[in-house]
């Protein structure tokens, strides 16, 4: 029996795909490596290991991992509430989750700064009651990254929860499983691949975030300066090779971390019988 496909033949489709992928992704990324190769290894190492740049790595990747972890926890809880419960204003909450997608990042940064600054509505209370300064500190960077990354987790986990058969939970309960056992052995293994995907997307989004962070971070060298800002600073100084050297480090580290997360996701799916 011959199979019919609405799309053109395999070779033509693959050719279009590879051409488009090359123009959008591969060629720009290759240009970064080509520009960096103009530097000797000693020059490259000297640029990417300066204390100011290393401090920006630590803040960028550390805050991105922390924000993705926070979003994985609270994004799962939020998706659970939206799928399993009915409450007044549910549709409004569901719509607000997509706000970081539509809102310009600069607007988000200004809004967060206005709220969490020392004289802002929320920041003044937190600073006076708890002695914690959020705006213009690493805490502000973390807050901005949590804000822009939350929708990725919720929208990845939500469809899986909607397709999860409630009868599985009833079967587990009828066999004597308590709530914690049902969550740990029935629900969580099913959600874990989607949760890891949302985590990876939130992390990738946070690593490259710029617009919403620069307003609330304060951009203090060695304290609240993110790596994308270091790249912009190098470009403004016409130090293109220095900018591409830092960008290369970010690219390599991000790629390794995403490959690790995706490998863990594939292993989890295979272990749970999603992949034969």
């Amino acid at each position: 029996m011959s199979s019919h496909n609405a799309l053109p033949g395999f070779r033509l489709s693959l050719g279009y795909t590879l051409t488009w992928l090359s123009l959008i992704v591969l060629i720009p990324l290759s240009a970064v490596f080509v520009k960096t190769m103009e530097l000797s290894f000693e020059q490259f190492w000297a640029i990417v290991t300066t204390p100011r740049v290393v401090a920006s790595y630590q803040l960028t990747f550390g805050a991105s991992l922390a924000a993705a972890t926070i979003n994985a926890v609270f994004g799962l809880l939020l998706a659970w509430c939206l799928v399993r419960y009915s409450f007044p204003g549910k549709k409004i909450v569901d719509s607000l989750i997509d706000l970081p997608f539509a809102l310009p990042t600069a607007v988000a940064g200004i809004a967060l700064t206005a709220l969490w600054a020392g004289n802002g509505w929320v920041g003044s209370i937190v600073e006076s009651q708890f002695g914690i300064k959020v705006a213009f500190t690493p805490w502000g960077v973390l807050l901005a990254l949590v804000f822009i990354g939350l929708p990725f987790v919720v929208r990845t986990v939500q469809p899986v929860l909607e397709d999860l058969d409630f009868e599985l939970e009833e079967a587990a309960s009828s066999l004597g499983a308590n709530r914690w056992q049902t969550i740990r052995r029935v629900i969580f293994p099913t959600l874990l691949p989607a949760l890891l995907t949302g985590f990876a997307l939130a992390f990738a989004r946070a690593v490259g975030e710029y617009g919403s962070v620069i307003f609330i971070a304060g951009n203090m060298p060695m304290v609240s300066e993110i790596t994308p800002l270091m790249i912009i600073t190098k470009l403004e100084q016409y130090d293109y090779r220095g900018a591409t050297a830092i960008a290369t480090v970010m690219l390599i580290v991000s790629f390794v971390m995403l490959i690790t997360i995706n490998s863990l996701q594939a292993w989890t799916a295979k272990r749970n019988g999603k992949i034969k």
Side-chain angles (χ1 to χ4, degrees):
M1 181 181 296
S2 60
S3 59
H4 297 278
N5 199 318
L7 293 176
F10 170 74
R11 293 182 180 179
L12 183 59
S13 299
L14 182 62
Y16 280 128
T17 300
L18 294 179
T19 301
W20 183 252
L21 181 64
S22 298
L23 292 173
I24 300 300
V25 179
L26 298 181
I27 293 177
L29 294 183
S30 299
V32 173
F33 286 100
V34 170
K35 191 68 177 179
T36 304
M37 289 176 65
E38 296 179 2
L39 296 168
S40 66
F41 180 78
E42 290 75 15
Q43 292 173 321
F44 172 80
W45 189 254
I47 292 172
V48 301
T49 57
T50 57
R52 185 175 175 182
V53 174
V54 171
S56 73
Y57 294 150
Q58 293 172 343
L59 177 61
T60 298
F61 290 105
S64 297
L65 279 174
T69 302
I70 293 172
N71 282 329
V73 175
F74 291 97
L76 174 61
L77 294 177
L78 184 54
W80 181 273
C81 291
L82 289 174
V83 173
R84 292 302 179 90
Y85 302 108
S86 297
F87 52 89
K90 178 179 177 179
K91 292 185 177 180
I92 297 177
V93 174
D94 193 35
S95 300
L96 287 176
I97 292 173
D98 294 326
L99 185 61
F101 285 148
L103 193 67
T105 55
V107 176
I110 294 172
L112 291 173
T113 304
L115 284 175
W116 290 90
N119 57 352
W121 294 346
V122 182
S124 58
I125 298 175
V126 173
E127 191 169 343
S128 61
Q129 297 295 325
F130 303 99
I132 300 175
K133 185 178 180 180
V134 177
F136 315 124
T137 68
W139 290 110
V141 176
L142 179 63
L143 177 66
L145 297 183
V146 169
F147 174 80
I148 57 98
L150 181 63
F152 291 96
V153 177
V154 176
R155 294 312 185 203
T156 305
V157 174
Q158 191 174 0
V160 180
L161 269 174
E162 291 173 348
D163 292 337
L164 186 63
D165 195 349
F166 190 72
E167 293 180 356
L168 294 175
E169 300 174 44
E170 295 179 341
S173 178
S174 65
L175 292 174
N178 56 36
R179 291 185 177 181
W180 169 244
Q181 289 175 326
T182 301
I183 293 174
R184 184 167 62 90
R185 296 179 179 273
V186 178
I187 299 176
F188 190 71
T190 305
L191 296 179
L192 186 56
L195 187 62
L196 288 174
T197 300
F199 176 90
L201 292 174
F203 169 77
R205 180 69 175 84
V207 167
E209 179 59 21
Y210 176 77
S212 63
V213 175
I214 57 171
F215 292 100
I216 197 171
N219 309 318
M220 297 175 59
M222 308 292 293
V223 178
S224 58
E225 198 172 41
I226 59 174
T227 306
L229 179 61
M230 291 297 304
I231 297 174
I232 295 297
T233 302
K234 293 286 186 182
L235 291 175
E236 291 176 346
Q237 297 170 351
Y238 300 101
D239 184 6
Y240 299 116
R241 294 189 298 179
T244 54
I246 299 173
T248 299
V249 173
M250 284 198 69
L251 180 61
I252 293 174
V253 175
S254 300
F255 184 75
V256 170
M257 298 188 75
L258 288 176
I259 286 294
T260 302
I261 294 171
N262 289 334
S263 299
L264 179 61
Q265 176 194 358
W267 175 80
T268 304
K270 184 176 181 180
R271 186 170 178 266
N272 293 331
K274 298 296 182 180
I275 300 177
K276 300 298 184 180

